[in-house]
Amino acid sequence: MLDPVLLFFLLGLAAGLLRSELRLPAAVYDLVSMLLLLSIGLKGGIELAKQPFMDLAWQAMAVLAMGALLPFLAFPVLRFVGRLPRADAASVAAHYGSVSVGTYAVAVAYFAGKQIEFESHMPFLLAVLEIPAIIAGILLARGLSRKIHLRTMAHEVFLGKGIVLLIGGLLIGWAAGPEGLVSVKPLFFDLFKGILALFLLEMGLITAAQFGSLRQHGLFLVLFGIGMPLASSVVGIVLGMALGLSPGGAAMLGILAASASYIAVPAAMRISVPEANPTLSLGVSLGVTFPFNVLVGIPLYHALATKAFTLAGG
Amino acid sequence: MLDPVLLFFLLGLAAGLLRSELRLPAAVYDLVSMLLLLSIGLKGGIELAKQPFMDLAWQAMAVLAMGALLPFLAFPVLRFVGRLPRADAASVAAHYGSVSVGTYAVAVAYFAGKQIEFESHMPFLLAVLEIPAIIAGILLARGLSRKIHLRTMAHEVFLGKGIVLLIGGLLIGWAAGPEGLVSVKPLFFDLFKGILALFLLEMGLITAAQFGSLRQHGLFLVLFGIGMPLASSVVGIVLGMALGLSPGGAAMLGILAASASYIAVPAAMRISVPEANPTLSLGVSLGVTFPFNVLVGIPLYHALATKAFTLAGG
Amino acid sequence: MLDPVLLFFLLGLAAGLLRSELRLPAAVYDLVSMLLLLSIGLKGGIELAKQPFMDLAWQAMAVLAMGALLPFLAFPVLRFVGRLPRADAASVAAHYGSVSVGTYAVAVAYFAGKQIEFESHMPFLLAVLEIPAIIAGILLARGLSRKIHLRTMAHEVFLGKGIVLLIGGLLIGWAAGPEGLVSVKPLFFDLFKGILALFLLEMGLITAAQFGSLRQHGLFLVLFGIGMPLASSVVGIVLGMALGLSPGGAAMLGILAASASYIAVPAAMRISVPEANPTLSLGVSLGVTFPFNVLVGIPLYHALATKAFTLAGG
Amino acid sequence: MNSSTRKLLTIITESALERVLVGDIEKLGAHGYTITDARGKGHRGPRTAVWDESSNIRIDVVCDDVTAMAIAEHLQVHYYPNYGMILFMSDVAVLRPEKF
Amino acid sequence: MNSSTRKLLTIITESALERVLVGDIEKLGAHGYTITDARGKGHRGPRTAVWDESSNIRIDVVCDDVTAMAIAEHLQVHYYPNYGMILFMSDVAVLRPEKF
Amino acid sequence: MNSSTRKLLTIITESALERVLVGDIEKLGAHGYTITDARGKGHRGPRTAVWDESSNIRIDVVCDDVTAMAIAEHLQVHYYPNYGMILFMSDVAVLRPEKF
Ligand SMILES: Nc1ncnc2c1ncn2[C@@H]1O[C@H](COP(=O)(O)O)[C@@H](O)[C@H]1O
Ligand SMILES: Nc1ncnc2c1ncn2[C@@H]1O[C@H](COP(=O)(O)O)[C@@H](O)[C@H]1O
Ligand SMILES: Nc1ncnc2c1ncn2[C@@H]1O[C@H](COP(=O)(O)O)[C@@H](O)[C@H]1O
Ligand code: NA
Ligand code: NA
Ligand code: NA
């Protein structure tokens, strides 16, 4: 059965599609996503302190490489099969190289429900994965020929709202450790799933609004929005195995690889690749891949990882 | 003594009447009432699964009938004693046929404090009661003669913010069951009374603002705002007894009957009966009946129900 | 080591100084500071019931006097050493006679972490201290000669947002008592430090924005912003000893004396002494004194109080 | 720069009307509109925007004269009598007049 | 449609002034006003609206020429020197001129 | 009262542009600006402001004609092709013209 938090997503989706009067104020969306990002960061930061530095560095570099590579897989498909203009292909590709914090949060809830273990410094890899795809997307759109505003790019990559809260949370969690955070546990940890439920309610409403824009861009995008995460999840799982992660950890890396950004990358692309059409990339990332991943993908990628470990082990 | 959450209502009322600078942002009001509606819905939904379907259907129909009938009791009083214009009489009548979620929440807190048992699928009846009074109000204002925009009416009745969250919560609670909701308990159940306190603080501020408009409409409305809930509570209690509810359940149905809407009905009347003056109906519903019910009515209706059961039992 | 909630302050400060995109909506700031004020008020109110009335009255009067006196210490320094215009000197002086609820909250967290006991009706003294400095500031700016709008002044002093929530919380806590508040404990008490963390994140962002305005006013203000709280803390500690408070209580009174307002006083000065430049007073109060107090001052004043008690005891 | 004159029609009214008004405005031929949340006071008393029922919206529409007049007349007939609403118009210079 | 000309007076200032300004505006004869929350930058530096102290409001008043001038003069005398404030006026066409 | 005429330039666009636009506006010589949050609909479809990506802002700038034209041209060249944006201008009377 579906995790109950997903029922909130379906409620939002239904309310949106039925054009109900339900509309959460933007400030509530901001509060809820801020709490989610901080919670995830803090939880990951606590674990960082326990990891040997070299392991972390090694994993970070491997994952950076994956985030930079995935857009280069997606781009030719979008450009030559989907016949998208160059800027649009680059922008969509960047979305799929990056990650969705919401998808990760749903996966955490799913894994907790099924008592699946995974490396608990995963939020660190999540933060790392936010970054390279943005740079890859800009390069794909502009090539190396044209002057790229390095300052603007750096600003977009490192100083976006999401990345600051995630990395800030990681640092605070790392510095304060588990005892230090006991006093903020009721807000950031105990309320986590309730906050996630509100977030998914809102995401349902937002997703419903994307369907309209999807209709214009047709079947190709829908297929891409399902095919691409399937392919990426395999890349993520294989990399997880190569890095020596546990089965749960490899599955989680598959989920991260499969997820597509809808916060950091859209904001960065809007400034750095303005000629890309944002309704197109948000349409496929939010309208297709996000619901596919949270409703179907997460258990699927976990099953894939389990099978892969059985095969590799046998 | 007063339940402590009511002290927050009095604080808001005092701050409002003293024209203090205290003003909560609309987004906070939205968040707080959304949490309240979801909490009530979820709690009721959990219980729905345990009820035999036929009992529920039967109770729902009886309660639907009550909600449709009460406006027809109120209307002649408003029209012929109070000499209100037809549209205004219809609109006020609709408010009193429907329910106030805030009043219900205060009653839940009161019953919990006094350890009074009641049928825990009551939120289902609450949701059901939101609906018929709107239709009755429109009919009272328009008669059957003039064309009624069925689509608009259906939209207002079923897709208002309050009803979507309440019914959504019921469905999620019903589908997820008590174990499924354990993880969201800290937000939706543990914080319930704190959230209710914030909500009542805000309601105090809003109520204070209604007093001004009341002054213009004089004594009749004040008397109506107290007399009508007294009468309705008797109807609700008697119906509760007839349906075989427990004493607590019958008292709660009396409270629901006595309460007057200030969310769903005003919004619907504004669109469907625009010539009705909203300050008049909100003035009496919020400025008189809401404070009367939460401060005086709830214990009174409970005492009434207890007496009725003693008489009936003896 | 720093209390973990202060890491959130540093995160906000860093994000602000790096000009990140992180910006919390004003509604979130309002919600968070409202919860903080109510929590502090409720907690203090519970304790009020336990105190003999005469003790309270006595302490309140002593503390009122201190709050009225401190601006008269600060004013000549600002006017004749700092050569500020009269209105500015009066306004800054008023800020330093009043208190900072945020600083108090951080001190509460610090004392809890170190298990330092202090009189738990301290929030009552905090509320009392909000008031006299405003009046002193207006008198310093205007003298007794010119007509002062008493009504406007009373409104600013007693009906500001912060004072209404703090005193409202005190009254509710006092009336409801510890058992009465059990049901709202999850929101107002368990979440306290999490809410404080969010508040400090926001304060970090706001503080960062003050640095710009500080630069124009130079070294004098920075020195004043550190020297004044050091002097005031001594006054507070000595008064605490004279009033027979515990070492923790005297330290806390020192912290209150040392803290500078950034909510009630700026709002009141803007209306009552409009020719005072608000960026100047907020620059020094928020840009210098607030970070100094929360990062360095609190442990320092506590050490001072401990030393004073040893000397006095020996 | 090719600049040209259009009408700016500003409507201030109850936020309860948002959904129906934007439908009307589009049907009457405007190519766009902008909405901001507002509060205020008028003949129907104060509207403080502390909750949905007392919130106002401000709708700005840039369009040609004929459309502006059509919208204004439509609103005056259908909503003026029963809703808190004011409405005013002015001339504005726009670039890219073909957009409006 | 009977349309007629009125003044639209727009004031942008610190939100701390809201309570007193709306009192003044009503006293000086305006029949209504509309307020929206704003942020901005001017001679007194940036006002980012992240908290109450740095928030602006925009007040729009539709009224006759004499009232507009009276309000503008009153504000210029009483608030211009000490508060962040700008103020501008234009002509607008209104329906139902008797409302203003 | 010494009143004088200035241009009021209003820009409605995606809130993603806020940071860069205010930089441009200041560089091109305006002495201030005011921003309000907005939602709306135009050629690029609805922007409902439920989250950051779909929010609009309205920027009002009071300045002299030359500056207004310079800003308008700059925006038209750099942002019109790729962003949801409209822009209109009108004359307003200001007190204290030296402020703008
Ligand atoms: N003279 C006015 N100037 C500016 N706004 C006004 C004026 N009159 C009314 N309004 C706005 O229009 C809304 C409805 O006005 P009314 O229908 O007069 O109650 C009010 O709540 C105000 O926001
Ligand atoms: N030239 C301008 N154009 C538009 N808004 C302005 C202008 N100058 C100032 N403002 C607004 O008016 C407020 C106060 O301006 P000032 O008194 O110049 O600091 C600013 O925070 C802006 O919101
Ligand atoms: N005709 C119009 N009148 C008023 N606002 C408009 C108009 N057209 C567009 N807008 C606003 O400008 C934004 C961008 O417009 P566009 O580039 O046409 O999508 C929209 O989201 C609206 O807020
Ligand atoms: Na990805
Ligand atoms: Na009722
Ligand atoms: Na002080």
Side-chain angles (χ1 to χ4, degrees):
Chain A
M1 222 214 56
L2 278 184
D3 190 296
V5 291
L6 290 176
L7 298 171
F8 287 85
F9 179 69
L10 295 180
L11 173 58
L13 206 58
L17 293 175
L18 293 169
R19 299 174 173 280
S20 95
E21 298 287 338
L22 183 60
R23 238 189 73 168
L24 309 195
V28 170
Y29 177 81
D30 280 0
L31 172 62
V32 160
S33 49
M34 176 179 78
L35 287 174
L36 221 55
L37 285 159
L38 282 173
S39 297
I40 291 173
L42 290 172
K43 199 159 247 167
I46 292 179
E47 303 300 324
L48 272 191
K50 306 182 189 158
Q51 304 294 320
F53 178 75
M54 277 314 295
D55 284 16
L56 284 180
W58 185 238
Q59 288 183 16
M61 282 176 51
V63 151
L64 268 178
M66 178 179 82
L69 171 87
L70 287 175
F72 285 88
L73 285 183
F75 182 76
V77 179
L78 292 157
R79 185 93 177 88
F80 302 115
V81 184
R83 291 174 187 282
L84 295 186
R86 176 164 180 171
D88 285 325
S91 168
V92 173
H95 284 66
Y96 282 82
S98 185
V99 284
S100 145
V101 174
T103 308
Y104 174 74
V106 173
V108 168
Y110 177 83
F111 279 36
K114 299 257 181 259
Q115 293 171 310
I116 304 163
E117 300 282 322
F118 65 95
E119 279 73 10
S120 42
H121 63 284
M122 203 53 74
F124 170 66
L125 301 183
L126 173 77
V128 165
L129 261 175
E130 292 249 12
I131 295 165
I134 297 177
I135 302 171
I138 297 174
L139 289 177
L140 281 168
R142 298 264 169 278
L144 287 168
S145 56
R146 225 181 99 179
K147 263 218 322 257
I148 290 172
H149 288 265
L150 271 184
R151 263 190 78 131
T152 309
M153 191 168 91
H155 190 274
E156 291 302 321
V157 169
F158 293 111
L159 293 173
K161 194 170 171 161
I163 205 80
V164 165
L165 287 171
L166 200 53
I167 292 188
L170 278 168
L171 289 174
I172 293 175
W174 172 77
E179 311 80 38
L181 293 181
V182 165
S183 60
V184 298
K185 184 176 166 299
L187 179 61
F188 291 113
F189 299 157
D190 297 351
L191 293 189
F192 180 75
K193 277 197 79 175
I195 299 291
L196 178 60
L198 292 185
F199 177 78
L200 288 171
L201 180 63
E202 182 103 41
M203 288 306 295
L205 290 166
I206 295 176
T207 299
Q210 309 302 323
F211 286 166
S213 67
L214 253 192
R215 220 171 308 149
Q216 303 165 13
H217 298 289
L219 189 64
F220 168 74
L221 278 187
V222 175
L223 292 179
F224 179 84
I226 294 175
M228 181 68 200
L230 288 174
S232 303
S233 74
V234 175
V235 176
I237 291 170
V238 170
L239 179 63
M241 296 174 79
L243 288 172
L245 298 187
S246 67
M252 201 54 108
L253 196 57
I255 291 165
L256 290 183
S259 74
S261 174
Y262 49 80
I263 301 181
V265 177
M269 290 298 124
R270 205 72 203 94
I271 298 298
S272 301
V273 188
E275 67 275 30
N277 177 358
T279 58
L280 193 150
S281 44
L282 281 174
V284 58
S285 145
L286 267 183
V288 182
T289 302
F290 182 77
F292 175 75
N293 276 338
V294 297
L295 297 174
V296 181
I298 290 172
L300 188 68
Y301 308 143
H302 178 246
L304 260 177
T306 313
K307 176 132 295 170
F309 270 79
T310 323
L311 288 178
Chain B
M1 220 214 57
L2 278 184
D3 191 296
V5 290
L6 289 176
L7 298 171
F8 286 85
F9 179 68
L10 295 179
L11 173 59
L13 206 59
L17 293 175
L18 293 169
R19 298 175 174 280
S20 93
E21 298 288 339
L22 183 60
R23 237 188 75 167
L24 308 196
V28 170
Y29 177 81
D30 280 0
L31 173 62
V32 160
S33 48
M34 176 179 77
L35 287 173
L36 221 54
L37 286 159
L38 282 174
S39 297
I40 291 173
L42 291 172
K43 198 161 246 164
I46 292 178
E47 302 301 322
L48 272 192
K50 306 184 189 155
Q51 304 294 320
F53 178 75
M54 277 313 295
D55 284 18
L56 285 180
W58 185 238
Q59 289 184 15
M61 281 175 54
V63 150
L64 267 179
M66 180 179 82
L69 171 88
L70 288 174
F72 286 89
L73 285 182
F75 182 75
V77 180
L78 292 157
R79 185 93 177 87
F80 302 115
V81 183
R83 292 174 186 280
L84 294 187
R86 174 163 182 173
D88 285 325
S91 167
V92 174
H95 284 68
Y96 282 82
S98 184
V99 284
S100 144
V101 174
T103 308
Y104 174 74
V106 173
V108 168
Y110 177 82
F111 278 36
K114 298 258 181 258
Q115 292 170 308
I116 303 163
E117 300 282 323
F118 64 96
E119 279 73 9
S120 41
H121 63 285
M122 203 53 75
F124 169 66
L125 301 182
L126 173 77
V128 165
L129 262 174
E130 293 250 11
I131 294 165
I134 297 177
I135 301 170
I138 297 174
L139 289 177
L140 281 167
R142 298 265 170 276
L144 287 167
S145 57
R146 222 180 101 180
K147 262 218 323 257
I148 290 173
H149 288 266
L150 271 183
R151 262 191 79 132
T152 310
M153 191 170 91
H155 190 274
E156 291 304 320
V157 169
F158 294 110
L159 293 173
K161 195 171 169 159
I163 204 80
V164 165
L165 288 171
L166 200 52
I167 292 189
L170 279 168
L171 289 175
I172 293 175
W174 172 75
E179 312 80 38
L181 294 181
V182 164
S183 60
V184 298
K185 185 176 166 297
L187 179 60
F188 291 112
F189 299 157
D190 297 352
L191 294 189
F192 180 74
K193 277 198 79 174
I195 298 290
L196 179 59
L198 293 184
F199 176 77
L200 287 170
L201 180 63
E202 182 103 41
M203 288 306 295
L205 291 165
I206 294 176
T207 299
Q210 310 301 324
F211 286 165
S213 67
L214 253 192
R215 221 172 308 149
Q216 302 165 15
H217 299 289
L219 190 65
F220 168 73
L221 277 187
V222 175
L223 293 179
F224 179 84
I226 293 174
M228 181 68 200
L230 287 174
S232 304
S233 74
V234 174
V235 175
I237 291 170
V238 170
L239 179 63
M241 295 175 78
L243 288 172
L245 298 186
S246 67
M252 201 53 109
L253 195 58
I255 291 166
L256 290 183
S259 74
S261 173
Y262 49 81
I263 300 182
V265 178
M269 290 298 124
R270 206 72 204 95
I271 297 298
S272 301
V273 188
E275 66 276 30
N277 177 357
T279 60
L280 192 149
S281 44
L282 281 174
V284 58
S285 145
L286 267 182
V288 182
T289 302
F290 182 78
F292 175 74
N293 276 338
V294 297
L295 298 173
V296 181
I298 289 172
L300 189 68
Y301 308 143
H302 177 245
L304 259 177
T306 313
K307 175 131 298 169
F309 270 78
T310 323
L311 289 178
Chain C
M1 221 215 56
L2 279 183
D3 190 296
V5 290
L6 290 176
L7 297 172
F8 287 85
F9 179 69
L10 295 179
L11 173 58
L13 207 57
L17 293 175
L18 292 169
R19 298 173 174 280
S20 93
E21 298 288 338
L22 183 60
R23 238 188 76 167
L24 307 196
V28 170
Y29 177 81
D30 280 359
L31 172 63
V32 160
S33 48
M34 176 180 77
L35 287 173
L36 221 54
L37 286 159
L38 281 174
S39 297
I40 291 173
L42 291 172
K43 198 160 245 165
I46 292 178
E47 303 301 323
L48 272 191
K50 306 183 188 156
Q51 304 292 320
F53 177 76
M54 279 312 297
D55 285 17
L56 284 181
W58 186 238
Q59 289 183 16
M61 282 176 51
V63 150
L64 268 179
M66 179 179 82
L69 171 88
L70 287 175
F72 286 88
L73 285 184
F75 182 77
V77 180
L78 291 157
R79 185 93 177 87
F80 303 114
V81 184
R83 292 173 187 281
L84 295 186
R86 175 164 180 173
D88 285 325
S91 167
V92 173
H95 284 67
Y96 281 83
S98 184
V99 284
S100 145
V101 175
T103 308
Y104 174 73
V106 173
V108 168
Y110 177 81
F111 278 37
K114 298 259 183 258
Q115 292 169 311
I116 304 163
E117 300 282 322
F118 65 96
E119 279 72 11
S120 41
H121 63 285
M122 203 52 76
F124 169 66
L125 301 182
L126 172 77
V128 166
L129 262 174
E130 291 250 11
I131 294 166
I134 297 177
I135 302 170
I138 297 174
L139 289 177
L140 281 168
R142 298 264 170 277
L144 287 168
S145 56
R146 223 181 100 177
K147 262 219 323 257
I148 289 173
H149 288 266
L150 271 183
R151 261 192 79 130
T152 309
M153 192 169 90
H155 189 274
E156 291 304 320
V157 168
F158 294 109
L159 292 173
K161 193 171 171 159
I163 204 80
V164 166
L165 287 171
L166 200 52
I167 293 189
L170 279 167
L171 289 175
I172 292 175
W174 172 77
E179 312 80 37
L181 293 181
V182 165
S183 60
V184 298
K185 185 176 166 296
L187 180 61
F188 290 113
F189 299 157
D190 297 351
L191 294 189
F192 180 74
K193 278 197 78 173
I195 298 290
L196 178 59
L198 292 185
F199 176 78
L200 287 170
L201 179 63
E202 183 103 41
M203 288 305 295
L205 290 166
I206 294 176
T207 300
Q210 310 300 325
F211 286 166
S213 66
L214 252 191
R215 221 172 306 147
Q216 303 165 14
H217 299 288
L219 190 63
F220 168 74
L221 277 187
V222 175
L223 293 179
F224 179 85
I226 293 173
M228 182 67 200
L230 287 173
S232 303
S233 74
V234 175
V235 176
I237 291 169
V238 169
L239 179 63
M241 295 175 78
L243 288 172
L245 298 186
S246 66
M252 201 53 108
L253 196 57
I255 291 165
L256 290 183
S259 73
S261 174
Y262 49 80
I263 300 182
V265 178
M269 289 299 124
R270 205 73 203 93
I271 297 298
S272 301
V273 189
E275 66 276 30
N277 177 357
T279 60
L280 193 149
S281 44
L282 281 174
V284 58
S285 146
L286 267 184
V288 182
T289 303
F290 182 77
F292 175 75
N293 276 339
V294 297
L295 297 175
V296 181
I298 289 171
L300 189 67
Y301 308 143
H302 178 245
L304 260 176
T306 313
K307 175 132 296 168
F309 270 79
T310 323
L311 288 177
Chain D
M1 232 173 355
N2 76 333
S3 124
S4 159
T5 301
R6 288 287 177 279
K7 282 278 179 238
L8 168 64
L9 169 68
T10 302
I11 306 152
I12 298 167
T13 190
E14 311 180 8
S15 52
L17 283 182
E18 179 165 337
R19 178 187 290 267
V20 289
L21 282 193
V22 303
D24 293 357
I25 288 169
E26 287 191 285
K27 241 175 270 157
L28 292 167
H31 295 140
Y33 54 83
T34 295
I35 301 179
T36 42
D37 291 315
R39 52 189 178 279
K41 190 166 173 179
H43 288 90
R44 295 175 176 252
R47 300 188 50 81
T48 54
V50 284
W51 63 324
D52 295 352
E53 296 312 312
S54 77
S55 299
N56 283 347
I57 48 173
R58 172 195 175 117
I59 311 181
D60 287 285
V61 185
V62 181
C63 54
D64 56 44
D65 289 32
V66 178
T67 309
M69 267 304 164
I71 297 175
E73 261 175 74
H74 176 85
L75 299 188
Q76 175 147 23
V77 171
H78 287 85
Y79 304 102
Y80 247 64
N82 293 321
Y83 292 95
M85 178 181 281
I86 69 163
L87 195 150
F88 50 87
M89 260 181 263
S90 60
D91 291 321
V92 292
V94 298
L95 311 177
R96 301 253 219 111
E98 69 283 4
K99 262 195 104 167
F100 301 98
Chain E
M1 233 173 357
N2 76 333
S3 123
S4 157
T5 301
R6 288 287 176 280
K7 281 277 180 238
L8 167 64
L9 169 68
T10 302
I11 306 151
I12 297 167
T13 190
E14 309 180 10
S15 51
L17 284 182
E18 180 165 338
R19 178 186 290 267
V20 289
L21 283 194
V22 303
D24 293 358
I25 287 169
E26 287 192 283
K27 241 175 271 158
L28 292 167
H31 294 140
Y33 54 83
T34 296
I35 302 180
T36 42
D37 291 314
R39 54 189 178 278
K41 190 166 175 180
H43 289 90
R44 293 173 176 253
R47 300 188 49 81
T48 53
V50 283
W51 63 325
D52 294 353
E53 296 311 313
S54 76
S55 298
N56 283 347
I57 48 172
R58 172 196 175 116
I59 312 182
D60 288 285
V61 185
V62 180
C63 54
D64 57 43
D65 289 32
V66 179
T67 310
M69 268 304 165
I71 297 174
E73 260 175 75
H74 177 85
L75 298 188
Q76 174 147 25
V77 172
H78 287 86
Y79 303 103
Y80 246 66
N82 292 322
Y83 293 95
M85 178 180 281
I86 70 164
L87 195 148
F88 50 86
M89 258 180 266
S90 59
D91 292 320
V92 292
V94 298
L95 311 177
R96 301 253 216 111
E98 69 282 4
K99 262 195 104 165
F100 300 100
Chain F
M1 233 173 356
N2 76 334
S3 123
S4 156
T5 301
R6 288 289 176 278
K7 281 278 179 238
L8 168 64
L9 170 66
T10 302
I11 305 151
I12 298 168
T13 190
E14 309 180 9
S15 52
L17 283 181
E18 178 165 338
R19 177 186 291 266
V20 289
L21 282 194
V22 302
D24 293 357
I25 288 170
E26 287 192 284
K27 239 174 272 158
L28 292 167
H31 295 142
Y33 54 82
T34 296
I35 302 180
T36 41
D37 291 314
R39 53 189 179 279
K41 189 165 174 181
H43 289 88
R44 293 174 176 252
R47 299 188 50 83
T48 54
V50 284
W51 63 324
D52 294 353
E53 296 311 313
S54 76
S55 298
N56 283 347
I57 48 173
R58 172 196 175 116
I59 311 181
D60 287 285
V61 185
V62 180
C63 55
D64 57 41
D65 290 31
V66 179
T67 310
M69 268 304 166
I71 297 175
E73 259 176 75
H74 177 84
L75 299 188
Q76 174 148 26
V77 171
H78 287 85
Y79 304 102
Y80 247 65
N82 292 321
Y83 292 94
M85 177 180 283
I86 69 164
L87 195 149
F88 50 86
M89 261 181 261
S90 59
D91 292 320
V92 292
V94 298
L95 311 177
R96 301 252 218 110
E98 69 282 4
K99 263 195 103 164
F100 300 98

